[in-house]
Amino acid sequence: MLFPWLLFYLLGHELLLAFELLLFLWFLVLQKKCYEKIIEIDSNNLEATFSLSQINVQNNEFEIALKNLNKVIDLTDGSDELFGPQLSKIGVLYELGLVKEAEDLYQKMTSLFPQEIIIHHIIPNLNFHKNKIDDAKAFFDIQYEKTKNAVVLKAKADFFFDKDKTVAISSYDEYLKINPSDIQARQNRATLHSEANSDYDVNLEIEQILAIDPNNVNALFNKARILVSQKSYDEALKITEKIYSTDNTNMNYVGFILELLELYKSEKEVENYIVKLKDNNPNESYNIEYRKGLYYKSKKLYDKAIQ
């Protein structure tokens, strides 16, 4: 009897997905008609013309999308600082096979906005989603060889952060040789090494970040976690209290402190610490009390948890 019910469930699920897709497509059609009507009334409406171009892209109507994007750009006297439409135009040109035009516009935009990482992601992203992963990698490599611009290395690392850890780590390595003081890049590299369970000394990365910025919250918090794993509880508590003092509305820090105290303090000592937290931060007493309830729940002291 199980099989018919399972089949019914699966068919029902597929029908629901199909219905949601139809609903989305119907919504796009309505949106498109609305924007077309607005443009019919006001042919120079920038917002409607740009929005229509994005629907054209979603519908793979790239030639119409290009026409609408050019209209938006023309309506603003061809301003090179028209960021969104110009970036969208790079992608549309590339989809139409106008690779040289797309790359020329890409070069133009990167010269105008040299620190904007997102510009470097447009063409690789199109290749990646067509499963042309080698082309996506090659684009970054070619651009770096042409320009020797370290931002391209960072863009490559950021792009592959959630796609290919090995490529991302090697790109951060190369980038940080040029710009060793980039804290965000260091944090990203440390995260990747942690997720990859590599032999890399993440603690060394944290110390290097703190040497640049002694008050960096993420690095301090990661250091506290490492100290907990090393059973250096007092030192970990001291660091976490320092973090909490900079942002005493963040209850995640309170939760971490209570979890830490639970490892090596008595129940009475934890209760006294919670009272001290509330006295020192009366504006957050309600949220601290909530964390207190979670603490008692973790100890299976349910009567105290609901008080």
Side-chain angles (χ1 to χ4, degrees), residues 153-154 157-158 161 168-169 171-195 200-213 216 218-219 222:
L153 293 174
K154 186 177 184 181
D158 289 353
F161 181 86
I169 288 171
S171 299
Y172 281 127
D173 287 344
E174 202 172 348
Y175 168 72
L176 285 165
K177 287 176 186 174
I178 301 167
N179 191 359
S181 61
D182 189 323
I183 289 174
Q184 187 60 57
R186 286 192 173 278
Q187 288 175 336
N188 288 350
R189 182 171 69 174
T191 299
L192 288 167
H193 276 294
S194 296
E195 290 176 354
Y200 184 82
D201 187 353
V202 175
N203 195 36
L204 176 64
E205 190 81 85
I206 291 168
E207 293 300 335
Q208 289 174 332
I209 292 170
L210 291 173
I212 300 165
D213 178 9
N216 186 276
N218 287 331
N222 286 329

Side-chain angles (χ1 to χ4, degrees), residues 19-282:
F19 175 73
E20 288 176 350
L21 178 60
L22 285 171
L23 198 63
F24 174 72
L25 292 173
W26 177 69
F27 180 68
L28 276 184
V29 169
L30 281 182
Q31 267 194 319
K32 185 178 181 183
K33 287 184 180 299
C34 287
Y35 289 129
E36 286 173 341
K37 190 64 179 176
I38 292 169
I39 294 166
E40 186 182 319
I41 297 167
D42 176 10
S43 61
N44 292 337
N45 190 301
L46 278 173
E47 186 178 342
T49 307
F50 179 65
S51 297
L52 182 58
S53 75
Q54 301 311 288
I55 293 174
N56 296 143
V57 170
Q58 286 179 298
N59 292 339
N60 294 327
E61 300 167 343
F62 297 116
E63 290 184 359
I64 302 171
L66 182 60
K67 179 183 174 184
N68 282 323
L69 286 169
N70 283 333
K71 182 179 177 183
V72 171
I73 293 165
D74 290 343
L75 285 171
T76 54
D77 300 322
S79 172
D80 292 327
E81 293 185 7
L82 198 60
F83 194 72
Q86 295 280 28
L87 296 198
S88 186
K89 184 176 177 179
I90 294 171
V92 169
L93 287 168
Y94 198 80
E95 290 284 17
L96 286 169
L98 302 171
V99 176
K100 185 180 184 306
E101 290 88 337
E103 291 187 351
D104 286 347
L105 184 54
Y106 157 79
Q107 295 291 351
K108 185 177 182 180
M109 293 301 289
T110 53
S111 66
L112 286 168
F113 304 97
Q115 299 304 315
E116 284 289 346
I117 296 288
I118 192 173
I119 303 171
H120 301 280
H121 288 178
I122 296 168
I123 292 175
N125 197 48
L126 292 172
N127 284 321
F128 190 87
H129 286 291
K130 291 175 181 176
N131 211 29
K132 297 179 179 178
I133 298 167
D134 288 339
D135 288 350
K137 292 176 187 174
F139 179 83
F140 289 111
D141 296 338
I142 291 166
Q143 297 309 320
Y144 180 66
E145 284 304 311
K146 280 183 183 177
T147 64
K148 297 300 179 186
N149 181 0
V151 174
V152 177
L153 293 174
K154 186 177 184 181
K156 181 181 179 182
D158 289 353
F159 182 80
F160 283 102
F161 181 86
D162 57 354
K163 298 176 178 68
D164 188 323
K165 289 181 175 58
T166 303
V167 172
I169 288 171
S170 65
S171 299
Y172 281 127
D173 287 344
E174 202 172 348
Y175 168 72
L176 285 165
K177 287 176 186 174
I178 301 167
N179 191 359
S181 61
D182 189 323
I183 289 174
Q184 187 60 57
R186 286 192 173 278
Q187 288 175 336
N188 288 350
R189 182 171 69 174
T191 299
L192 288 167
H193 276 294
S194 296
E195 290 176 354
N197 295 315
S198 68
D199 294 331
Y200 184 82
D201 187 353
V202 175
N203 195 36
L204 176 64
E205 190 81 85
I206 291 168
E207 293 300 335
Q208 289 174 332
I209 292 170
L210 291 173
I212 300 165
D213 178 9
N215 296 314
N216 186 276
V217 170
N218 287 331
L220 287 169
F221 199 50
N222 286 329
K223 183 173 183 178
R225 288 182 181 279
I226 289 171
L227 288 167
V228 169
S229 70
Q230 296 170 345
K231 299 187 177 179
S232 299
Y233 301 131
D234 281 328
E235 196 176 346
L237 179 62
K238 199 177 295 181
I239 289 172
T240 312
E241 286 176 332
K242 178 182 178 181
I243 300 168
Y244 178 59
S245 70
T246 65
D247 181 9
N248 64 7
T249 63
N250 192 326
M251 291 299 109
N252 289 328
Y253 300 144
V254 172
F256 183 79
I257 288 171
L258 296 183
E259 288 172 13
L260 170 56
L261 291 172
E262 191 178 354
L263 294 172
Y264 75 115
K265 298 287 187 182
S266 69
E267 186 183 320
K268 187 63 179 174
E269 286 174 310
V270 176
E271 287 177 350
N272 290 338
Y273 194 94
I274 292 170
V275 171
K276 187 176 79 170
L277 282 175
K278 289 170 66 178
D279 289 344
N280 292 337
N281 192 7

Side-chain angles (χ1 to χ4, degrees), residues 290-302:
Y290 174 72
R291 288 287 173 171
K292 176 183 173 182
L294 292 179
Y295 164 71
Y296 282 133
K297 183 182 176 184
S298 72
K299 302 285 286 183
K300 295 186 168 46
L301 299 170
Y302 299 117

